[in-house]
Amino acid sequence: MRRDIVLRVIAKILIPFMLLFALYVQFHGDFGPGGGFQAGVIIAASIVFYAIIFGLPATRQLVPEWIVESMVASGVLIYAGVGLVGILLGGNYLDYFVLDHDPVHGEHRGIFWVEVGVAVTVSGVMLKIFYMFAGRRRDEDNG
Amino acid sequence: MIDVLLTMMAVVVFAMINQRNLFAVVVLGGIYSFLMATVLVALDAVDVAMTEASVGAGLSTVLLLGALYLTKGEEVTEVRRPLIALAVSIAVGAALVYGSLGLPAFSDPQAPIHTHVVPRYLNDSPKETGVPNVVTSVLASYRGFDTLGETTVVFTSGAGVIALLRRRRRSREESEK
């Protein structure tokens, strides 16, 4: 599909809006539907869309494998780290109200970082699984 | 509305069972997920509908197509009729239907799920967390440990796929040496 100019142009127009929508779902999840999981999947889906149109090697240059692999682990670490910060500031594990002087603001801050962690891990795992499946035939041909 | 959607889902399932072309089965699976997402929108569960549409109809369809690329496109017909599998499926399905008879009636306001902790979440969540979307506050704050566990499950599944697919590649390189 790499030669089809219509698909290439449409993809280049659509992908920025998909990523923007993912950010909207992520950061507006407190007020409307959505949250970390959905945003992570939409980010992964937009990059998978790019890979389908422009091919896997171009996508691996755009989003290198080491970034994806570190995303898989760092999301869980961000989430668990929010819990540890709660302990350091004098609360229990995953207590958010100690994160700020105002307990409500602390809750808001904790939820924000927890959702960031979920989004990072989910998009990393989805992309990694896609890379692994999509790259198999090519590796067999080379090896 | 929901009855019509559920009937369409049943029709899609029978089409999937009868279809031997796996490409068509994957596409029908995507249609099934979109119908499921529409049912969830009709039930006002927009967050879950979003997840179902993006994961079920979006990414898993792509992953299944990727798997299909590595295999043949036609389902192999069974030589023997899988009677034991059919009997087990029917028995489990019947047990589940029997279990669902004990559930409270659909959208019954007196059901235990609506009288236990839900009133507290709905009343106090905006004051306690400052987050208007109760789904988000329950998921990330009140049930933070559960969500940490879920994120770990997602991480573990990713790590499992990496471990499985990578070892195979390495062993092939070693066998060539």
Side-chain angles (χ1 to χ4, degrees), chain A residues 29-30 32 34 69 79 96 107 143, chain B residues 47 51 133 136 140-141 144 166 176:
Chain A
D30 305 355
E69 278 180 19
Y79 199 135
Y96 302 147
E107 286 280 344
Chain B
D47 291 79
T51 315
N133 184 1
T136 300
S141 183
R166 229 186 229 160
E176 280 172 5

